[in-house]
Amino acid sequence: MEQTENNEQIIKVLSFILSKLDTLEIEQSRHKEMFYKVRENLTNANDLINQILDVLELENPELYDKTVEQYKDSHLKDMVSTLDKHILEFDEDQILELLTHIVGDA
């Protein structure tokens, strides 16, 4: 009888652990999707900025040079490459901090 109770407890604990692992897997998948969406949005924003800079280069070369110089000093490019390299290493707090920086810099 005692052996049966122990087996039942072990089964309950294992079931609980497996359900938590499933939950973690689902959450990880959601975060991964969010990162891909953020990256896609950053890429689209970059394309738009490049188009604006092309027009600015023709219309006002001095302002274009000043804008490009400010961009070179920016760390926005580094954030995108960091996002690509470490996409699966962030926890939820780091994700929020990174997104806050991206939105602030954009």
Side-chain angles (χ1 to χ4, degrees):
M1 182 115 159
E2 186 175 319
Q3 180 69 22
T4 304
E5 288 178 14
N6 286 340
N7 286 344
E8 287 177 8
Q9 288 178 343
I10 290 172
I11 290 171
K12 285 180 182 180
V13 169
L14 290 175
S15 295
F16 177 75
I17 291 171
L18 289 173
S19 71
K20 289 299 178 184
L21 285 174
D22 287 342
T23 302
L24 286 174
E25 192 174 313
I26 291 168
E27 287 299 316
Q28 182 182 12
S29 174
R30 287 182 187 158
H31 291 304
K32 189 175 181 180
E33 289 174 21
M34 182 179 68
F35 272 116
Y36 286 122
K37 288 179 184 177
V38 167
R39 178 145 191 345
E40 180 182 358
N41 288 341
L42 284 173
T43 302
N44 290 341
N46 186 57
D47 290 343
L48 178 61
I49 289 169
N50 285 337
Q51 290 173 4
I52 292 169
L53 287 175
D54 289 344
V55 171
L56 185 61
E57 184 177 22
L58 296 174
E59 298 293 323
N60 190 341
E62 290 176 14
L63 183 57
Y64 171 80
D65 291 338
K66 182 179 177 183
T67 304
V68 169
E69 193 61 36
Q70 287 176 343
Y71 177 71
K72 286 180 182 176
D73 295 337
S74 171
H75 60 278
L76 186 60
K77 293 187 294 187
D78 294 334
M79 282 194 289
V80 174
S81 65
T82 299
L83 182 64
D84 283 342
K85 290 178 188 174
H86 304 287
I87 197 166
L88 298 176
E89 296 177 10
F90 293 112
D91 65 20
E92 194 167 318
D93 291 336
Q94 290 171 323
I95 292 169
L96 291 174
E97 183 178 345
L98 177 64
L99 292 177
T100 301
H101 285 295
I102 290 171
V103 170
D105 287 344

